[in-house]
Amino acid sequence: MKRSMLYLAVILILGLSACTPSSDTGRPDPDSAAAANAPAAASSVLSASQPDAPDNIVAHEPIGYCGNTITTISRETQAGEEPWTACFWGEDSVALTDLLRYLNYSEEPCKCLPEYQVDTEFGTGYGLHLTEGYARYNGRQVTLKADQIALVQRIIVRQSEQASDGE
């Protein structure tokens, strides 16, 4: 009984240690081992509290995410391409979740359909159209900046490569 309680305590502590707050700058702490191994895409997400934040991000306090935040990206069949779905966690999930969560969805949506569907733990039904450069959520959309489009493209490439390696 004592051994199983100890085992449960260790699991709880390890699980909680996976949840780390983001830094005030929105960038990983350079001294952490995780930051050294983090994808470059994660460090390019800008928080609205930064002076160089894009104007399409709403003001918000820095927030912490657990590394086990799960994100799902899917693409329906388009122009001869096969349907594709990736479910992932870690730095890519945190970066994409943080970006989509704090975009300023204030524009009227265009008529073109999104290329990708994204579901995060904080919202489902995000639409992304990287060619047209927008993100859509709850019937509104926002024009993405070039660095935001590049971030999402890098995440999609990494996740599609990992999904094909796993087959």
Side-chain angles (χ1 to χ4, degrees):
M1 177 72 171
K2 287 183 181 179
R3 181 174 278 174
S4 61
M5 293 299 285
L6 178 63
Y7 179 71
L8 288 173
V10 168
I11 289 174
L12 178 64
I13 290 169
L14 290 175
L16 291 175
S17 68
C19 299
T20 57
S22 62
S23 63
D24 290 339
T25 64
R27 293 184 174 91
D29 182 340
D31 296 330
S32 78
N37 296 322
S43 65
S44 68
V45 176
L46 299 175
S47 134
S49 61
Q50 293 177 257
D52 59 348
D55 59 1
N56 65 351
I57 301 284
V58 296
H60 64 280
E61 292 296 318
I63 185 169
Y65 295 93
C66 288
N68 60 358
T69 298
I70 297 174
T71 300
T72 303
I73 299 178
S74 59
R75 179 189 68 216
E76 299 297 321
T77 303
Q78 296 175 355
E81 294 180 359
E82 292 295 317
W84 173 81
T85 299
C87 186
F88 55 96
W89 57 281
E91 294 292 326
D92 281 347
S93 178
V94 169
L96 189 54
T97 295
D98 196 56
L99 173 67
L100 293 175
R101 189 173 182 191
Y102 293 109
L103 286 170
N104 184 8
Y105 299 94
S106 60
E107 301 168 18
E108 288 293 322
C110 64
K111 294 187 190 283
C112 57
L113 296 175
E115 298 170 308
Y116 298 94
Q117 178 82 18
V118 180
D119 295 329
T120 74
E121 291 184 22
F122 296 95
T124 59
Y126 291 99
L128 291 173
H129 198 302
L130 302 180
T131 307
E132 295 295 324
Y134 73 75
R136 187 178 291 166
Y137 186 62
N138 282 341
R140 306 294 287 173
Q141 76 182 37
V142 58
T143 301
L144 297 172
K145 306 295 183 188
D147 62 329
Q148 294 166 332
I149 293 170
L151 167 68
V152 175
Q153 287 172 330
R154 287 191 302 266
I155 290 171
I156 289 172
V157 166
R158 262 193 306 277
Q159 295 308 317
S160 65
E161 288 171 353
Q162 290 178 6
S164 65
D165 289 345
E167 293 177 355

